[in-house]
Structures are given as C-alpha cells and as structure tokens.
Amino acid sequence: MKPSLRAFLAVVVLAAPLALTAPAQAANTLTMRGADVSSLQRSLDLGARYYNASGTQADPYDILAAKGVNYLRLRIWNNPVSGYNNKAKVLQQARTIKAKGFKLLIDFHYSDTWADPGKQYPPAAWANHSLSQLQTDVYTYTHDVCSALKAQGTTPDAVQIGNEINVGMLWPTGRVVNNNFAPLASLLKQGYNATKACNSGTQVWIHTANADSNANARWFYDGIRAQGVTWDVTALSYYCMWHGSLANLYNVIADVKSRYGKPVVLAETAYQFTAADADHERNSIPGTVLCDNIPATWAGQAQQFSWVQNTVRNAGGVGVFYWEPTWYAIRGNGWAPEDINGTGNGWDNMAVFDWTGRVNPHVVWTP
C-alpha cells in the first residue's frame, strides 16, 4: 500500500463514518481538550460525590484531568436569581480551576439566564438601554469581570463574547435583522476591546451553533467580518441530533478555518449514554434519536465523542469541549436559574458521570 493511500485511509477510519472526502494529510493536534463545568460548584456545594472508573471517590477536577482534559469553561450570567454562575461564583471556581493547572475559558452570556440561538435576553439591568448604552455596558462588564479574575491571579486564557449568537445577542437591539450586522458588530467590538484592554494575551472567541451548514456559518462570520469585527478563534457548537452528520461537521470546520484564517474550536458537544431520565425534569435530548446508529450506552457515548474529536482533528480544528460532563442529577441543582431548587436536570443522560456520580470509563479526551 502506498504511504499516501495508507495515510488517507487512516484519516477515514479514525473519523468514521466520514465520507471519502477527507484530505490525505496528517491529523491535526487537539491542544484544547475542554469541558464546561459551570454547574459543578453548585453540585459540590450540595454534597455531590464523584467516582473514577474504578469506583473510588475522587475530586471531579482530578478525574477530568486524568481523562485528558486541560481546559475548563465557565458561563457567566450577570445577575441570576439562583446566585450561581454570577461574578462571585465564577471568581471562586476560577481559583480552583487555575490551582488545578487547567486553562480557563469564560463564556459571557450577557444575560441573567440562558442565552442560545432561540433566546438572547439582555440582563434586567440593561433591559431598556439604547445601542450606545449597551455598547458601554458590554465594555464595562467584560472589562470588570476580566480584571477581577486577573487581580486574583486567574486571568482567563480565553473569553467568548456571547454564547451561540447565531443571529445576534442582547435582543432586540443586537439582533441581526434584514442582514444588518452593524448593531451586533458594534457590541462585539466592545467586548473584544475590553478583553484586550484587560489582558492582551487573552483570546477572544466568537461562538455560534452554526456547525449545521457552510451557508449559515458563512452568513454570520462574513457578516461580522464585513463590519470590521476582530476575533481570535472561531467557535462552534455541534450536537449531532440537531446539526447533522460528521461529514458535514468536517466540511464546515475546514471551510471556516480556510475562509477566516483563524483556529477553530468545537466549544460544545455531547452525546447521551441512556434514553432514561433520572428525575422529574424532561431530558433536553431524549436519547431516542441516535447518530450514526451509535447506541445510547456508555460505550456508545464514548464512541461518538471519539468520532467527534477525530472529525475536528482531521478537519484542522484545535479543540473540543464537552458540555457539562459533570452535571448529573443532584436535587437542588436544577435547570432554571430562577427556580434552581424546584427544577430538575435536563442533562442527566448527557453527562459523562452516571446517576451515582461514577465516570464513564470509556470516555477520553485525546490530543
């Protein structure tokens, strides 16, 4: 077998079930092997216990590190009713994260609650602000949080200016309407400038859930680029049941990497290990829709995550983050920040820890 053909087939096998469109080149290295652990502090405060693959109780941060994780992500909400994922709690958790030797990504939602493609509500304190006021708000808040982290010795290695901002943030003012990216761009620029004023070495990521198609990704990133927005890393979310095949993911990553000339990271992904539900809160992803016929089992979860990592690697991406792997069902750590005690966990079948807190022995983050 010719070396070139062997290399080509190796790429295809590693990233199965990709179509035979992958280039014959050496795989990239995933230098950012991440996990979003935004709910973890609440779980620990409520007495959650975590166990390694052998069943021995251990620090969840140490378990993740042993699995290959080197980068942790924290969302920040402005003034959530729950009292978690706010500035004070992020500062607290950041100290633990940095002490454990991880790099730190701060995910600014610019909201008091969840921000995603379907909703981007401004925080109550900014609700009636004009565009010019929101520009000041974004700069001041971003700089304040970054500076507070820096002052305690936990300078963020990266920040996201918005979370899954497919059609903008801080709606309605910052929403993209009739292809007008100017309002959104003015807000993104303030976030970028504030971050760099705080610490020039902190990366600025622009994050969308546009891994579903080249058309959607190009529409968004072309739109902000045309308005003069600068960013350091292109970040995408990929959930196979919503965003399509691995072959499609490969094509989108390769395209945005080439088109914008910036490193590409998968900032969110996950897969179910069961279709069952641990509590009274309906699962966000029921587990009944399988990807690539991969079963909803521990082995299946690990297989799909491995394939995602291989796809990102082979497409030239530099990182993959698993979303909320430590968020197993703990009473009192609910889904809704406005009712954290009363709501359950919609992610209990997607975590990499089961309902007793034991880690999936098969899941690994690999370079």
Side-chain angles (χ1 to χ4, degrees):
M1 186 182 293
K2 293 182 179 180
S4 60
L5 180 58
R6 183 182 298 113
F8 175 80
L9 291 177
V11 168
V12 174
V13 170
L14 282 171
L18 288 181
L20 299 185
T21 56
Q25 62 184 28
N28 192 50
T29 298
L30 298 181
T31 57
M32 302 178 188
R33 301 179 298 281
D36 188 308
V37 292
S38 298
S39 69
L40 179 55
Q41 189 59 56
R42 173 71 174 179
S43 291
L44 292 173
D45 289 349
L46 292 170
R49 296 184 178 183
Y50 292 85
Y51 301 87
N52 61 25
S54 66
T56 302
Q57 185 177 345
D59 186 308
Y61 293 103
D62 294 339
I63 296 173
L64 290 175
K67 288 286 189 177
V69 174
N70 66 358
Y71 222 124
L72 295 179
R73 178 191 195 225
L74 297 177
R75 65 177 166 269
I76 185 165
W77 292 328
N78 290 47
N79 188 28
V81 176
S82 65
Y84 279 79
N85 303 121
N86 59 13
K87 177 183 172 183
K89 290 296 185 182
V90 165
L91 287 170
Q92 174 190 354
Q93 199 169 351
R95 291 192 292 271
T96 301
I97 286 170
K98 285 289 191 173
K100 290 287 186 178
F102 296 101
K103 289 191 174 183
L104 175 64
L105 166 63
I106 299 296
D107 176 13
F108 286 97
H109 283 228
Y110 301 112
S111 182
D112 295 331
T113 187
W114 300 101
D116 56 47
K119 55 186 179 298
Q120 296 279 338
Y121 307 130
W126 305 356
N128 298 315
H129 287 191
S130 65
L131 178 59
S132 62
Q133 288 175 308
L134 287 174
Q135 291 168 2
T136 300
D137 292 334
V138 169
Y139 186 98
T140 302
Y141 182 71
T142 306
H143 191 271
D144 175 68
V145 171
C146 180
S147 297
L149 287 163
K150 183 178 181 179
Q152 68 171 15
T154 61
T155 303
D157 298 280
V159 303
Q160 288 179 211
I161 306 302
N163 184 75
E164 295 187 332
I165 55 173
N166 293 29
V167 290
M169 65 186 195
L170 293 168
W171 293 354
T173 307
R175 185 167 190 165
V176 180
V177 178
N178 295 326
N179 297 315
N180 180 13
F181 281 86
L184 172 62
S186 71
L187 298 170
L188 296 178
K189 289 175 184 178
Q190 292 301 314
Y192 180 92
N193 291 340
T195 301
K196 297 301 182 177
C198 169
N199 183 63
S200 61
T202 297
Q203 292 181 330
V204 173
W205 298 14
I206 302 296
H207 174 216
T208 69
N210 283 329
D212 58 331
S213 73
N214 282 338
N216 288 338
R218 288 182 177 187
W219 175 80
F220 179 87
Y221 291 104
D222 279 3
I224 63 171
R225 183 174 65 175
Q227 291 291 328
V229 173
T230 303
W231 71 99
D232 300 317
V233 171
T234 303
L236 304 168
S237 292
Y238 174 75
Y239 297 97
C240 57
M241 57 291 299
W242 296 330
H243 298 129
S245 68
L246 290 171
N248 182 69
L249 174 65
Y250 176 97
N251 290 332
V252 172
I253 291 173
D255 185 73
V256 297
K257 180 190 177 191
S258 172
R259 192 172 183 85
Y260 307 109
K262 304 178 189 302
V264 181
V265 171
L266 208 61
E268 293 185 23
T269 193
Y271 196 69
Q272 62 264 15
F273 70 86
T274 181
D277 193 350
D279 60 17
H280 65 278
E281 188 79 21
R282 182 177 61 86
N283 291 339
S284 298
I285 299 175
T288 54
V289 178
L290 303 179
C291 300
D292 305 306
N293 294 316
I294 297 174
T297 62
W298 259 2
Q301 181 185 62
Q303 180 182 356
Q304 209 273 341
F305 184 50
S306 176
W307 283 7
V308 167
Q309 290 180 86
N310 289 336
T311 301
V312 174
R313 183 185 299 110
N314 294 334
V318 297
V320 175
F321 283 64
Y322 197 104
W323 196 76
E324 289 281 14
T326 61
W327 198 5
Y328 75 96
I330 297 293
R331 184 177 295 275
N333 195 3
W335 187 254
E338 64 275 13
D339 186 14
I340 196 169
N341 288 301
T343 53
N345 179 358
W347 209 247
D348 52 58
N349 67 322
M350 302 291 288
V352 301
F353 291 80
D354 70 10
W355 302 343
T356 69
R358 183 175 178 181
V359 74
N360 184 337
H362 309 296
V363 168
V364 291
W365 284 252
T366 56

